[in-house]
Amino acid sequence: MMIAAGYSFAFLIGMAFARWLHSHGDWHEGVAWEGAFLRDINGTLPRWMDSALLVVSWLGTNIVLLPLTIIAVLWLSLRRKRYQEAVYLAVVQIGSNSLNPALKFLYERSRPEIIPRRGWYNWAAYPSGHAIASIAVLLTVAIVLHRVKGWRWPTYVIVPVLIVSLFSRVYLGVHWPTDVIGGVLIGVVWLLFTFFAFREDRGPFATAAS
């Protein structure tokens, strides 16, 4: 029930934010400040940082996250016998991977054409799938590693990398800033609902794991 509610609420948050954007600016040309922001940040970083952003931006793609999730789920279930955490991570990945195309299909927002687009991108702009997946999946990985191994360091690594990755989507010209903001909102809602749905003291595997 919690998972279904979380998925529905995340979808509705995405719709509500899109509705707000429709009423406060040109849907395909961005709200008033976005074009100026894209122009202002274009090419402002040193070459080495520019190259680093191209690499970091791949962390939010399914090319990276899907294999990472499959490996982690197999490790959790086969090696660690942590079935609840395995299902938890799989559910978060599946939800993130379906929320993004569903909303893109619904709204089909054009990508910005203000600065040259670089790096990986595909289909519609809203919402940023990188933002949804980075927030929900990467932070869930950190949560699971803390539960299973007691590690805190993944959080300290993932959070700054996540922030840089989100910024890279705008800096590389493939998203409007509001695409990323919308993706963050959707990702946070999905992250929170799944976190509470798979708390260590609840769920079908909680008793068996204790």
Side-chain angles (χ1 to χ4, degrees):
M1 183 67 73
M2 179 76 77
I3 295 169
Y7 190 92
S8 300
F9 191 52
F11 195 89
L12 289 173
I13 286 291
M15 292 180 66
F17 190 66
R19 178 78 179 206
W20 183 87
L21 291 175
H22 270 285
S23 64
H24 285 77
D26 188 319
W27 176 243
H28 292 291
E29 298 297 331
V31 296
W33 57 272
E34 291 187 281
F37 182 79
L38 284 166
R39 283 187 287 268
D40 288 344
I41 65 172
N42 183 35
T44 56
L45 297 179
R47 180 171 295 181
W48 69 269
M49 291 183 69
D50 188 278
S51 300
L53 288 180
L54 277 167
V55 174
V56 170
S57 69
W58 284 90
L59 293 177
T61 67
N62 282 324
I63 294 173
V64 173
L65 289 180
L66 195 54
L68 173 66
T69 302
I70 292 171
I71 291 169
V73 167
L74 291 174
W75 174 72
L76 287 166
S77 56
L78 300 179
R79 294 293 300 273
R80 304 293 301 190
K81 309 301 182 186
R82 298 295 293 261
Y83 302 115
Q84 175 150 315
E85 282 74 19
V87 173
Y88 174 23
L89 184 55
V91 166
V92 172
Q93 172 64 48
I94 292 168
S96 300
N97 206 32
S98 57
L99 281 165
N100 176 46
L103 285 161
K104 283 186 186 297
F105 178 78
L106 187 62
Y107 291 105
E108 294 192 349
R109 189 185 198 186
S110 301
R111 291 187 183 269
E113 297 182 353
I114 294 173
I115 60 177
R117 296 196 292 260
R118 296 180 294 151
W120 172 262
Y121 62 92
N122 191 19
W123 199 13
Y126 181 88
S128 167
H130 276 69
I132 297 173
S134 296
I135 293 289
V137 178
L138 290 179
L139 290 179
T140 298
V141 168
I143 292 167
V144 167
L145 286 174
H146 181 254
R147 288 183 184 179
V148 175
K149 301 289 289 185
W151 292 343
R152 294 185 182 273
W153 65 262
T155 303
Y156 301 126
V157 173
I158 286 171
V159 169
V161 169
L162 186 155
I163 293 170
V164 173
S165 177
L166 296 181
F167 172 73
S168 75
R169 305 308 293 161
V170 179
Y171 179 81
L172 296 173
V174 297
H175 276 295
W176 300 101
T178 48
D179 297 333
V180 176
I181 294 170
V184 168
L185 292 173
I186 296 163
V188 166
V189 170
W190 184 230
L191 173 72
L192 292 175
F193 270 85
T194 51
F195 174 78
F196 285 110
F198 288 95
R199 287 205 317 261
E200 290 183 280
D201 61 343
R202 61 182 297 167
F205 304 105
T207 303
S210 61

